[in-house]
Every structure is written in structure tokens, then in C-alpha cells.
Amino acid sequence: MSEEFVEALVELEEKRAIKMAEERLDAGEDPMDVLDDLKKGMGIVGDRYAADEYFIPDLMYAGEIIEQISGLLQEEMPDQESDDIGTIVLGTVKDDIHDIGKDLVYFMFDLNGFDVVDLGVDVQSERFVEAVDEHDPEIVALSGFLTAAFDSMKETVETLENEGLIEVFDEDGIRDGRKIMIGGGQITDDVRNYVRADGYETDAPNGVTRAKEWLGVA
Amino acid sequence: MNGIVACETLYPELPRLLPEAEVVYVPQWYHEFPIHTPESERAHELLQEGINTLEEQGVDHVTVIYHDPEALEGLQTEMVPLHVYRGRDCIEMYLDGKPTGPGEERKEDGTYYLTRGWIDVAVDSYKVYNAYAGRFDELVARFDEAEQSVSGMRVSWPESEKVQQAAARSESMRTDPAALLRTVMDSYRHVVLIDTDQLTPFHHEYAEWVREFFAEVIPEEGVRDVSLTVAEGTLDHLEAVLSDPETISTVLTLDPGTPVPQEPGFRTGPQHP
């Protein structure tokens, strides 16, 4: 781990962080180590936002930095799978414009052989319906950072159920077929239950593990 | 004697309406949206400190005007009645006319409103953009110049920690600063400068800078049409809240020692208003 790199990320020193990422990769360092530091740094950025030390433009800035460094890493990392193992429709739900976690999720799922359809941010439930209908994904991943997102996630799940695009829970709380995964800054199992999602994760790599488990390819 | 704890954006109007009142101002940026999410705990502390200060000064009652229901929850006076305004925000308060929005707002869709107070003391997207773009000092200098020539002008937005952090980051940026604000500001097509007889040429100039910002800087696809109009504001709502709070339906009046209850349906955590 490079504490200096993590510090540059946490302090949103864009030029320095990108330069350091480039230098580490040029030196032959394992891109996964750089990715681990990227996740750590962005986790701390999220914590600072939650503590009111950073505000929304800072989160947007962090998202821009993630995107650039992820791009560098992607060039160095061979695809983990040669064929798509599944399709995921991914988006930040209505009334939430944060993409900091969603972009990392996109990166990790794409790297691990998923075909990811990214709907962006502030996505209405109707747009999720269109995308699910069009792309027939195995998993729908809903991202949300604000507590206001919980109701939007719930509404999206209800809309998908009403459209017959996902099954309702059976008496054991299990959903057959297409799954709903949620993630974001303040997600807990209570939120998962409220939203009626099949699972929640607090970081992208665990999200990939769970997705693979659901698809039986772990 | 009246005691008022209020959002600082009301500073130009409050002394006109109640020149004898004792007023404590709380910075706007703790309840600004959409660039910030409400810092309700901090706002609550400052509001309660203000109430305590006014009680020590011997006011007869305290009126709180700060649009953040979570920050208002739990506030209380010890000795005098407390009036808590639970109506619309500082922009809506100056607007007249029939409510048209889904939440009965008077604000029009796609419209960015400015007031004299908002320009002088508030953190807004234009100021944040300039901070990230390395033009913080330049913008502060313009405000300093205006302050020299406008009697009683109060400029506090440069004290915002977030704006200062943004300015500090400008040297290390290679991302276009507009990208950081585009998602939240892209929907604005109109700028309305509300006139409560407090505007100076500087404020008209600032409103034009904001219009240009929405027209030329925010759009990714190129320059777009953004209008700027000056609209007459009303002080009737504010005056009614201050002069006869117990008759106003959007004002909650509490006895000393009674904390402000949670507003029905309100949720904790970062959220939209």
C-alpha cells in the first residue's frame, strides 16, 4: 500500500494522484494493489462526506479522479473472463446524483466479465423498467448515497415487480429469477429489507462475489 | 424587545422591518442545497447558541427563521416564548403569487433565484466554481470593492470552509471545474434576481455573471439560452412572521422549556428539502 497515494486521493489532489498511479503502474506494480489503495482512498472520501467535511462537488471530483485512475488500471488489467458471464443493469436511483460508488462498481463488474449497462444517476424507475426489458439482465444494481435514495430504491423495486420484470419475495423472503442488489453510503440490512432487495454490499469487490454466487459462477 | 435568530441571507431586510430587534445570524451554507447536504447538527448548535445569547440579553421572545426542520428540532428557550418559522425557504418568503409547484412552491422550475442577501453572504454554485477554477481571490476582490462602496454590506461567503477547500484544490486540478457542478446545475434556464429595494449595480452585475455561468460554462454541448429577469419581491410574509408570529399558521409558538418537536414526516440524514 502507498500511504502517499492514498493521501493524495483523500485530499483530492488530482494531478498528484494520477501521476502517482501512472508511476506505480510504469514501475510494474500489480494494478490490483493500486486498485486496493483507490478503494481505500475513496472510502475515506466517503467518510469525510458523511462527516460533513466534504460537500457534493468534492464527491463529484472524487468520481472524476476514480474514472481516470480506473481507466489507467483497466489498460493494465487483463479481463478476468473472456465471455460475459451475465448482464447487470446499474444506476443511481432517482433524487440521488452521486456516482462515486457506482463508477467503482461498474469498473469491477466490467473487469470480472459482466456486461454492465450503466444508466447514470438520478434514474427514474421507469428508465430502469425500460432497461431491464431491453437488456434482460440477471441482476439489477441500485446505487444510492443519500437516505432519500431509500424510497427511490423501494419505488424502483415495486415498479419492477408491478411490471412483472422481477418476482416478488416468497414466504421465506427469497426471490426467484432476476435479483436486486443495492449499495451506497448508508445501506444496512434494515434498508435491504425496507427496499425488498435480495442483497446489499458496501464495496464493489464484495458485490462482484455476491453476483457470481447468484449466477452460480463463483 | 424582539429577539431573532435567522439565516444570514435575511440580513438586508430584517433591520428594515424591525430596526430595534436583536438579531443573531446563522450562515446559510449549513442548510444550502443542492451543493451541500444539510449540516443540521452544526446549524442546530448555532441556532441554540443564538437563542441562549438573546435570552441573556433580555429579549421578550425569540423568533427563529432558518429553513432546516432537522436543525430546528429540539431548540428551546428557557425564559421567553419561542416562535419557530416552519414555512418555506428564504427565496419563497420573498415571492408572491399563486403557488404552482407540486409541493405548493412559488418557485418556478428551472429557475435560479438570487436575492441581495444570497449574493452577499451565501455559498452558491458560481462562487464554488470560481474557487475550484483558481479565481477565488479575484472574486473576493470584487466583493471587497463593492463592500467599500455599499454602506452596511455584509460579505461572509469567503469564510465557508468548503469554499476555502475548493480554492486550495484549484492548483491540483486538471478536471474542468464545471464538471463538478454540471449534474446539479444543468437544469437551470432562468435566473431571477429578486428586488426588495436593496439592490445595487454590483448585485445586477453579479446576477449577469451567474446567468453567463449557466449559459456558457455549465452546458457541455455549448452555449445555451438562459434568461435573467429582475422581479419585485415582497416583504409581506417576512413582516407578518416577525410582527405577529402567533397568528401565522407556519409559525409554531412554544412556551419556555418546551423543545421544538420533530416535524411530521421528516427524516434524518442527508436528504433533499
Side-chain angles (χ1 to χ4, degrees), chain A residues 5-129:
Chain A
F5 176 61
V6 172
E7 191 206 344
L9 292 167
V10 169
E11 299 299 331
L12 302 180
E13 293 176 25
E14 180 183 11
K15 285 181 187 167
R16 187 165 154 243
I18 291 172
K19 184 165 182 279
M20 290 172 74
E22 286 169 340
E23 286 171 354
R24 290 176 74 179
L25 294 172
D26 287 345
E29 197 171 331
D30 185 348
M32 287 303 293
D33 289 343
V34 181
L35 178 63
D36 283 343
D37 286 349
L38 181 66
K39 280 160 24 196
K40 183 170 180 181
M42 290 304 141
I44 297 173
V45 167
D47 291 341
R48 288 193 181 183
Y49 173 79
D52 294 330
E53 291 169 32
Y54 284 179
F55 62 162
I56 286 175
D58 295 326
L59 280 197
M60 297 300 184
Y61 194 15
E64 295 281 333
I65 296 173
I66 287 175
E67 197 177 327
Q68 292 176 78
I69 295 179
S70 299
L72 295 175
L73 296 179
Q74 205 145 28
E75 288 168 18
E76 300 291 331
M77 289 165 98
D79 283 349
Q80 304 293 301
E81 307 281 345
S82 55
D83 297 315
D84 287 340
I85 58 173
T87 300
I88 293 184
V89 164
L90 165 69
T92 300
V93 293
K94 180 175 73 110
D95 293 336
D96 195 327
I97 46 88
H98 300 101
D99 60 4
I100 180 171
K102 178 185 71 64
D103 287 351
L104 264 179
V105 166
Y106 179 99
F107 173 68
M108 286 304 298
F109 277 106
D110 182 59
L111 193 69
N112 280 271
F114 287 88
D115 177 25
V116 188
V117 179
D118 184 356
L119 302 181
V121 299
D122 190 18
V123 182
Q124 307 282 326
S125 50
E126 293 77 17
R127 181 73 190 96
F128 276 106
V129 165

Side-chain angles (χ1 to χ4, degrees), chain A residues 164-184:
Chain A
L165 292 170
I166 58 173
E167 300 291 330
V168 296
F169 282 157
D170 64 20
E171 56 194 23
D172 297 319
I174 306 286
R175 176 181 279 123
D176 282 336
R178 185 172 290 132
K179 302 288 190 206
I180 301 287
M181 184 185 296
I182 61 172

